[in-house]
């Protein structure tokens, strides 16, 4: 079996393929689980602990609506499709894992605190409504009726009834359990040092002194995807790390200060059922510098305090840094690389948790049928090659 850059070159056999996946974040685990359910033999190789990369850091917002930005219409369609799949995906993951993943469906609120914020909110609201997103405009009083602890000066808000959230750490734990429950092989603390390419075709992955043979290799290494030590130069995806600092505060779970995901002008706040209040996130071009900074935390705490003044009494629970896998056009890179048999599932940037159902199902479908589903065709790695050709 081989999967080439052109889907017409696929030569499927009646047997299911043996698949090796590099990276056990939400993307690698999600694809692995879908394939294992379909009867494929799947091995995932993770150099650290499963779910401890970008997926560990995420706020878990499933924010197709409120994060929609001008210039990202194709991505919006992809995000909305994945958001639509989330309730069924959630049910299946929880049933397979045997525990809940902290999915909450109260929707999200975005607030404006001064006149400038209101102008920006209005501009984005009009764009998002034009895109068909389900949103409600609220005045300050209506916003405070939804969230009583909001700062009294809140001027206006938009409410998105479909932008929910999930606990991304519980999600990765559940995907890991579901994958292993289907007989998938997970090799943690096992780095892949190279992909084994023979005559232009990927035959497996190199692990220590061994080659683990596979019909298809999926490269799902998140922000570490552009790794010239492991991939041949022509297959390298244009992915870079985009640093995000985050922290969490501890609320009283019986009397939470907040019930909806809240997007304030300088920070977002995400209340979990266990009482944690996640506050995020900075967006920094700082390579893999994983240090928290005074300025980063100050911005987040100030942004949270302006929106919800009572946070000042809450104990700090945890603080951390993560790296978003940002691609050159901020959209995911999904499909065959230039090397036969090597697939890319990278570049999920700010939306990897939201896109987990769609990417998992679409890449599995591509592997099982040899054809990419329509929804991911625009996100093929080929778009960067076409761009390069057009420029030369
Ligand atoms: P990862 O989870 O990073 O997994 C990749 C894995 O590959 C890692 O575990 C790594 O160790 C492994 N690996 C790398 N190289 C090798 C190798 N050579 N051999 C073996 N293993 C290897 N998304 C949302 O949808 N909603 C949010 O609210 C949200 N908030 C975010 C907030 C922050 C601060 C950050 C940083 C991200 C956020 N994201 C959010 C984005 C989301 O976290 C990512 O898009 C998603 O987790 C990417 O998943 P992944 O599986 O591709 O990468
Ligand atoms: N999607 C939220 C973030 O990337 O911070």
């Amino acid at each position: 079996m081989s999967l080439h850059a052109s889907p017409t070159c696929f030569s499927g056999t009646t047997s299911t393929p043996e698949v090796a996946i590099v990276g056990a974040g939400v993307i690698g685990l999600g694809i692995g689980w879908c394939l294992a359910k379909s009867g494929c033999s799947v091995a995932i190789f993770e150099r650290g602990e499963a779910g401890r990369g970008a997926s560990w850091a995420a706020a878990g917002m499933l924010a197709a609506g409120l994060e929609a930005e001008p210039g990202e219409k194709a991505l919006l369609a992809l995000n909305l499709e994945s958001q639509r799949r989330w309730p069924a995906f959630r049910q299946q993951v929880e049933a397979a894992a045997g525990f809940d993943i902290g999915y909450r469906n109260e929707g999200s609120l975005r607030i404006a605190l001064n006149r400038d914020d209101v102008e920006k909110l209005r501009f984005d609201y009009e764009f998002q409504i034009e895109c068909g997103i389900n949103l409600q405009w609220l005045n300050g009083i209506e916003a405070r009726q939804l969230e009583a602890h909001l700062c009294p000066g809140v001027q206006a808000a938009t409410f998105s009834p479909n932008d929910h959230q999930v606990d991304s750490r519980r999600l990765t734990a559940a995907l890991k359990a579901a994958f292993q429950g289907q007989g998938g092989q997970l090799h943690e603390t096992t780095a892949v040092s190279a992909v084994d390419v023979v005559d232009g075709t990927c035959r497996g992955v190199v692990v220590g002194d061994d080659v683990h043979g596979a019909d298809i290799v999926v490269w799902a290494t998140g922000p570490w995807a552009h790794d010239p030590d492991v991939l041949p130069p022509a297959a390298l995806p244009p992915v870079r790390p985009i640093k995000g600092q985050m922290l969490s505060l501890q609320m009283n779970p019986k009397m939470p200060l907040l019930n909806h995901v809240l997007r304030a002008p300088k920070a977002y706040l995400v209340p979990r059922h266990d009482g944690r209040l996640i506050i995020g996130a900075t967006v920094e071009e700082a390579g893999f510098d994983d240090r928290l900074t005074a300025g980063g935390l100050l911005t987040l705490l100030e942004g949270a305090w302006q929106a919800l003044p009572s946070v000042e009494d809450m104990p700090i629970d945890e603080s951390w840094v993560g790296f978003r896998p940002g691609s050159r056009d901020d959209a995911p890179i999904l499909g065959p690389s230039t090397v036969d048999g090597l697939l890319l599932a990278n570049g999920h940037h700010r939306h990897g948790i939201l896109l987990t159902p769609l990417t998992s199902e679409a890449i599995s479908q591509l592997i099982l049928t040899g054809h990419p589903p329509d929804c991911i065709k625009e996100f093929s790695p080929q778009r960067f090659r076409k761009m390069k050709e057009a420029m030369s």
Side-chain angles (χ1 to χ4, degrees):
M1 171 173 291
S2 71
L3 266 178
H4 298 238
S6 157
T8 52
C9 299
F10 173 75
S11 59
T13 62
T14 48
S15 61
T16 49
E18 295 217 356
V19 180
I21 298 175
V22 192
V26 285
I27 299 302
L29 288 167
I31 296 168
W33 176 51
C34 284
L35 287 170
K37 277 195 290 182
S38 301
C40 291
S41 161
V42 187
I44 300 184
F45 296 89
E46 166 55 53
R47 67 179 171 198
E49 205 182 312
R52 281 285 181 157
S55 306
W56 181 259
M61 295 178 292
L62 308 175
L66 286 180
E67 282 195 15
E69 286 181 9
E72 292 189 345
K73 284 204 171 161
L75 180 60
L76 173 61
L78 194 77
N79 287 344
L80 286 171
E81 174 55 26
S82 199
Q83 189 181 60
R84 194 188 62 76
R85 295 183 190 196
W86 248 102
F89 185 78
R90 173 253 180 137
Q91 276 185 349
Q92 290 162 18
V93 181
E94 288 185 342
F99 57 89
D100 91 87
I101 57 173
Y103 180 85
R104 293 184 57 163
N105 62 0
E106 295 93 345
S108 300
L109 197 61
R110 177 176 163 195
I111 57 168
L113 297 174
N114 58 36
R115 207 182 55 187
D116 288 352
D117 298 341
V118 175
E119 290 301 314
K120 174 81 174 101
L121 187 68
R122 173 75 64 188
F123 178 81
D124 289 348
Y125 170 77
E126 283 168 4
F127 165 74
Q128 289 160 351
I129 289 286
E130 247 174 55
C131 293
I133 294 165
N134 180 10
L135 286 185
Q136 290 156 26
W137 183 268
L138 307 179
N139 63 30
I141 295 167
E142 289 165 334
R144 277 168 59 83
Q145 279 164 356
L146 270 188
E147 286 294 353
H149 295 278
L150 281 181
C151 105
V154 62
Q155 303 277 304
T158 47
F159 175 62
S160 172
N162 298 333
D163 283 356
H164 302 315
Q165 62 141 316
V166 67
D167 183 331
S168 55
R169 296 179 184 178
R170 293 185 73 83
L171 171 64
T172 43
L175 287 172
K176 174 178 166 177
F179 171 66
Q180 292 180 307
Q182 282 291 337
Q185 298 297 307
L186 176 62
H187 305 276
E188 292 177 275
T189 60
T190 307
V192 166
S193 58
V195 291
D196 185 39
V197 180
V198 182
D199 296 332
T201 298
C202 187
R203 305 278 186 204
V205 293
V206 180
V207 178
D209 294 333
D210 298 324
V211 173
H212 176 96
D215 299 308
I216 302 287
V217 172
V218 182
W219 183 245
T221 49
W224 296 275
H226 188 92
D227 189 342
D229 293 336
V230 182
L231 290 188
L236 283 169
V239 170
R240 69 192 192 288
I242 299 177
K243 177 176 175 179
Q245 302 187 46
M246 306 260 282
L247 75 150
S248 62
L249 307 180
Q250 190 60 50
M251 304 184 290
N252 178 349
K254 292 196 184 118
M255 284 192 294
L257 213 55
L258 190 70
N259 289 299
H260 300 83
V261 171
L262 179 66
R263 308 181 80 90
K266 287 197 202 143
Y268 56 70
L269 296 87
V270 183
R272 300 278 202 242
H273 275 315
D274 61 9
R276 279 179 306 143
L277 180 62
I278 314 292
I279 301 177
T282 63
V283 179
E284 301 169 64
E285 298 281 353
F288 284 109
D289 179 350
D290 64 359
R291 291 170 298 182
L292 291 157
T293 63
L297 293 185
L298 181 66
T299 304
L300 297 178
L301 283 169
E302 189 186 32
W305 174 76
Q306 284 171 351
L308 210 63
S310 315
V311 294
E312 71 182 17
D313 295 324
M314 289 166 50
I316 291 181
D317 174 54
E318 194 189 339
S319 51
W320 64 95
V321 167
F323 302 101
R324 302 170 185 86
S327 75
R328 197 173 288 151
D329 58 7
D330 290 342
I333 304 172
L334 306 171
S337 72
T338 49
V339 175
D340 288 354
L342 176 64
L343 294 184
L344 305 179
N346 293 125
H348 290 81
H349 194 215
R350 297 177 284 144
H351 299 303
I353 308 300
L354 168 65
L355 286 170
T356 298
L358 185 136
T359 295
S360 305
E361 290 161 5
I363 294 291
S364 305
Q365 193 179 329
L366 169 60
I367 291 172
L368 293 168
T369 65
H371 299 286
D374 287 345
C375 60
I376 63 165
K377 281 186 179 157
E378 276 198 57
F379 300 94
S380 154
Q382 286 186 69
R383 70 186 187 274
F384 299 110
R385 295 201 286 281
K386 282 185 190 147
M387 212 182 285
K388 208 170 160 185
E389 280 159 20
M391 302 290 280
S392 59

